[in-house]
Amino acid sequence: MRLILIASLCLAAAACSRSDEDRARADARAAGHDLADAARDVRNDPTVRQAGAEARQAGRDAAASVRKGAADAEIKAGQAMIDAGQDARRAAAEARSDSSGDRQQN
């Protein structure tokens, strides 16, 4: 008698867990469909599309500013190198003329 009662309880528990599993699977599918629908709604929302377009334009503007700043920095660095070279040549020329004047006085 006990064996029949235990077997009945095990079968009932197995049936419950199988139906619970089916219910959980159905709930997961429904949640997946709800999520897909929500994502589709967001994707098609004109406000979200406008925000995306504005973000892309802001990115383009930022990239253009960075490129312009880099070009300006390159030009300024090049000019600074030219100026430094000219200053070095002047200083070398002055040093040569000073040293040749010292030699002539001796």
Side-chain angles (χ1 to χ4, degrees):
M1 183 72 173
R2 274 189 184 169
L3 186 58
I4 294 173
L5 181 61
I6 292 173
S8 300
L9 288 173
C10 287
L11 285 174
C16 286
S17 56
R18 192 173 297 139
S19 68
D20 289 343
E21 182 180 314
D22 291 341
R23 191 173 304 129
R25 187 177 296 121
D27 289 346
R29 281 187 189 136
H33 290 296
D34 291 345
L35 183 61
D37 290 342
R40 194 174 306 111
D41 291 344
V42 168
R43 185 183 66 221
N44 294 329
D45 186 349
T47 305
V48 173
R49 286 181 177 267
Q50 180 64 30
E54 289 172 2
R56 282 189 296 279
Q57 186 59 46
R60 287 185 200 110
D61 293 345
S65 294
V66 167
R67 283 192 295 273
K68 183 179 182 312
D72 290 346
E74 184 178 12
I75 290 169
K76 288 178 182 176
Q79 187 60 47
M81 289 173 59
I82 291 169
D83 293 345
Q86 290 172 347
D87 291 345
R89 283 188 203 98
R90 264 188 244 116
E94 287 176 14
R96 279 192 300 270
S97 68
D98 287 347
S99 68
S100 66
D102 288 342
R103 285 187 207 150
Q104 289 175 358
Q105 288 177 1
N106 287 335

